[in-house]
Amino acid sequence: MGSVDASNGKKPTVIFVFSIGGPGSGKGTQCAYIVEHFGYTHLSAGDLLRAEIKSGSENGTMIQNMIKEGKIVPSEVTIKLLQKAIQENGNDKFLIDGFPRNEENRAAFEKVTEIEPKFVLFFDCPEEEMEKRLLGRNQGREDDNIETIRKRFKVFLESSLPVIQYYEAKGKVRKINAAKPIEAVFEEVKAIFSPEAEKVEA
């Protein structure tokens, strides 16, 4: 399939975004801030898969059937959707959220796209804090229950943690304490992104 270039022909800058356990870590809010302040495009693997299903394409039907059967969508399928989104976007800086979920995803992404992330942004939020936030949110989301949080936490430790450890060994992980209030978390985020922003403008 060959490497992926942004629409301007340059290799895009990619940052993988991770958080433990999903809802409640504040990851979505912080991604929105990064987009607004630093000009990144936020690509959510889950959103791309859902959009593909909604489009009614053959690919979308296949994805829907796999999800229904409780199977994991093959890496190649998600990577193709991410590649397409990068190439069609017009930007050259991307936050990729919800992918890679495991080591196999990570290896496939780097092999297919020939892109290694600039760094990995890891929102580290203790399980208890997320439980507290989710119970306080009470927005009626079906995934907002303790059982789901614990399950996600376990999946994270088994699947996603090895990816973070892989990049940690390369000095590419930027860990953020997501248990703090939103503004304080964004101060940490800004400290990570600001030198980059200055370099871009220089």
Side-chain angles (χ1 to χ4, degrees):
M1 224 182 317
S3 67
V4 176
D5 296 327
S7 63
N8 58 10
K10 279 196 325 193
K11 273 254 185 291
T13 297
V14 164
I15 292 167
F16 289 146
V17 185
F18 280 93
S19 70
I20 294 185
S25 66
K27 179 177 67 169
T29 304
Q30 297 300 328
C31 283
Y33 284 170
I34 295 164
V35 166
E36 189 187 331
H37 288 260
F38 299 106
Y40 279 74
T41 295
H42 181 205
L43 296 178
S44 155
D47 287 352
L48 290 173
L49 288 167
R50 281 187 287 275
E52 190 67 19
I53 290 169
K54 220 172 168 184
S55 76
S57 71
E58 205 177 309
N59 201 23
T61 307
M62 181 267 290
I63 294 167
Q64 189 169 26
N65 291 338
M66 292 199 76
I67 292 171
K68 260 191 202 146
E69 288 164 26
K71 291 179 184 166
I72 289 174
V73 177
S75 299
E76 284 65 32
V77 173
T78 310
I79 291 165
K80 266 187 195 164
L81 293 175
L82 286 166
Q83 280 185 307
K84 191 167 170 253
I86 287 170
Q87 283 161 339
E88 290 175 356
N89 185 272
N91 198 352
D92 60 357
K93 300 191 296 185
F94 297 89
L95 299 173
I96 294 185
D97 181 2
F99 194 88
R101 287 189 178 277
N102 54 38
E103 261 297 289
E104 190 267 330
N105 283 174
R106 178 202 65 72
F109 182 86
E110 289 193 12
K111 184 168 179 255
V112 172
T113 63
E114 294 174 21
I115 295 170
E116 203 177 298
K118 191 179 180 82
F119 59 83
V120 171
L121 195 58
F122 175 34
F123 292 102
D124 192 8
C125 190
E127 197 173 0
E128 312 74 67
E129 175 63 25
M130 282 196 308
E131 288 180 7
K132 201 170 79 187
R133 286 182 187 184
L134 288 183
L135 293 174
R137 260 193 352 194
N138 192 19
Q139 291 171 347
R141 285 176 59 156
E142 58 197 50
D143 52 4
D144 283 7
N145 64 61
I146 299 291
E147 205 46 48
T148 307
I149 300 167
R150 290 183 180 152
K151 219 178 275 174
R152 284 183 176 218
F153 206 82
K154 188 169 177 284
V155 168
F156 176 86
L157 295 176
E158 288 167 3
S159 304
S160 303
L161 197 59
V163 179
I164 288 171
Q165 287 164 339
Y166 172 86
Y167 287 120
E168 209 152 27
K170 294 183 155 223
K172 282 181 173 259
V173 174
R174 309 287 180 267
K175 200 174 190 177
I176 284 175
N177 176 1
K180 295 178 182 175
I182 290 172
E183 292 73 21
V185 173
F186 189 56
E187 285 306 313
E188 277 194 52
V189 170
K190 274 201 294 204
I192 290 167
F193 280 86
S194 290
E196 303 301 332
E198 282 155 26
K199 270 183 231 161
V200 171
E201 284 160 18

